Amino acid sequence: MYTTLFNLSSLGESNLSGVDPQRLQDLAHRPVKISIIIVLGVLVTLGNIAVLLVITSSVAGWSRNSRYFLLSLAAADSAFGLLVMPLNLWVSLIKDYTEGPDALCHVVAFCNATIYSTCVYTLATISLERYIAVFYPLQYGTILTRQRTLLLISFAWCFPPVLLLPVLFPDGIIAVHFSTASLVCNPAYSTNVGYSLSLACVIFFPCSFIMTYTNLSVWCVAKRQRMKLRKFYCARRQRHNVASRVLVPVMGAYYACWTPCMAAMIYNALSGSSVPEWIEFVVVWLPTSNGFLNCIFYFWINRSFRRKFRYVLQKFAESLCPRLVNSLLFRSTSKAQFDSGYLDNNNIVHERSSSVSSTCTLLSLA
């Protein structure tokens, strides 16, 4: 694969003798960038497929609405590796860089912007659901009914395509170009200033405000409750600082991955010039890495999810090679089956989910 990529790069450079040096430099770095994108795509895809395999079935302590929202998030993150990356890599290998924008680039740019926007809206809906679960636990079932939950998820998936529909038309008002620096088909933000600013005001800033306000409120409540519990020795020794362990990494990863991309987009729109090559590559693909970090912060640090994943992995391995599994990997099969069955029956109180109401139990102790 790597030999083919290098040959393609050399072929592209030999056919672009009249192109400016900056473009030739972008093409020379293309094999390295493609390798980074492939590795990132594999991590995002495998991580979210594992998540989907687990949460399609019941997980102890996770409500139905929680699973719906988290399934939506895992599906949106999976689309990064299954749709966004293959499309852009395909265009980067077949496109003649001396040509201008084409219909294919507009379709790819539409898919890119739609998936990115859906992911941001989904993160905002999860934060909103967490806020309701913590501050209105008794009214949770009446506020977030199954119908309203599905409506929120539908909005996160259906509104971005409608909002971004002008990107789809080659001869429309939105100009699209393929960037050899980031290997992505994107709207030309320097020539679409109004579109760039509107996109930031409609998607990024409102969702960031919702996430910041809801997560900060939950964190403050959890901190106050933890201060009350400090007077009890057993509570101090056994309770984990859920707010610091979950909410802080979630918000830190979100802003670290999305803020540079939005800042570069706004800078390109206002200044009319682009950022340096590698900076553009990093800030464009950083939001994709958030799809992998979500697997860690929303799922893998949750005890119930890890136990259910081990149970699913055990069943899958037993179906392939039961003798080897029983002899080498799963010597404590009976104990694992007891734990998983005990958890699935929800007979004891566990953490519902890292992303939903981890601090709800803390509030009930007040």
Side-chain angles (χ1 to χ4, degrees), residues 41-58:
V42 170
L43 291 176
V44 172
T45 303
L46 293 180
N48 284 281
I49 287 178
V51 168
L52 289 172
L53 288 176
V54 175
I55 60 178
T56 49
S57 59
S58 61

Side-chain angles (χ1 to χ4, degrees), residues 125-188:
T125 56
I126 289 176
S127 299
L128 184 62
E129 194 254 357
R130 178 195 301 120
Y131 179 86
I132 296 174
V134 171
F135 285 90
Y136 305 97
L138 299 180
Q139 295 84 22
Y140 176 83
T142 57
I143 296 176
L144 271 183
T145 61
R146 182 176 181 272
Q147 183 179 6
R148 291 176 181 174
T149 298
L150 295 179
L151 283 176
L152 283 174
I153 295 174
S154 300
F155 174 81
W157 282 88
C158 298
F159 181 67
V162 176
L163 180 67
L164 300 167
L165 194 61
V167 180
L168 192 58
F169 302 103
D171 299 325
I173 60 175
I174 306 298
V176 172
H177 77 289
F178 179 83
S179 172
T180 55
S182 58
L183 302 184
V184 170
C185 285
N186 266 335

Side-chain angles (χ1 to χ4, degrees), residues 3-192:
T3 304
T4 304
L5 295 177
F6 275 97
N7 290 337
L8 286 170
S9 178
S10 302
L11 180 61
E13 291 182 10
S14 63
N15 292 332
L16 294 175
S17 56
V19 181
D20 62 277
Q22 180 61 41
R23 177 64 61 84
L24 293 177
Q25 183 180 7
D26 292 340
L27 294 177
H29 296 161
R30 187 171 59 176
V32 178
K33 296 176 182 177
I34 291 178
S35 302
I36 295 174
I37 294 173
I38 291 175
V39 171
L40 183 60
V42 170
L43 291 176
V44 172
T45 303
L46 293 180
N48 284 281
I49 287 178
V51 168
L52 289 172
L53 288 176
V54 175
I55 60 178
T56 49
S57 59
S58 61
V59 178
W62 289 20
S63 68
R64 179 189 59 194
N65 291 341
S66 304
R67 289 175 52 225
Y68 286 161
F69 283 111
L70 295 175
L71 276 171
S72 176
L73 177 64
D77 289 337
S78 299
F80 281 130
L82 297 176
L83 185 63
V84 171
M85 292 181 180
L87 284 177
N88 287 279
L89 289 179
W90 180 41
V91 173
S92 69
L93 294 177
I94 69 172
K95 184 175 176 60
D96 185 354
Y97 295 93
T98 60
E99 298 177 354
D102 51 24
L104 175 61
C105 217
H106 277 267
V107 173
V108 174
F110 174 77
C111 294
N112 294 344
T114 299
I115 297 302
Y116 277 79
S117 303
T118 299
C119 187
V120 174
Y121 277 124
T122 303
L123 290 171
T125 56
I126 289 176
S127 299
L128 184 62
E129 194 254 357
R130 178 195 301 120
Y131 179 86
I132 296 174
V134 171
F135 285 90
Y136 305 97
L138 299 180
Q139 295 84 22
Y140 176 83
T142 57
I143 296 176
L144 271 183
T145 61
R146 182 176 181 272
Q147 183 179 6
R148 291 176 181 174
T149 298
L150 295 179
L151 283 176
L152 283 174
I153 295 174
S154 300
F155 174 81
W157 282 88
C158 298
F159 181 67
V162 176
L163 180 67
L164 300 167
L165 194 61
V167 180
L168 192 58
F169 302 103
D171 299 325
I173 60 175
I174 306 298
V176 172
H177 77 289
F178 179 83
S179 172
T180 55
S182 58
L183 302 184
V184 170
C185 285
N186 266 335
Y189 299 115
S190 58
T191 58
N192 301 309

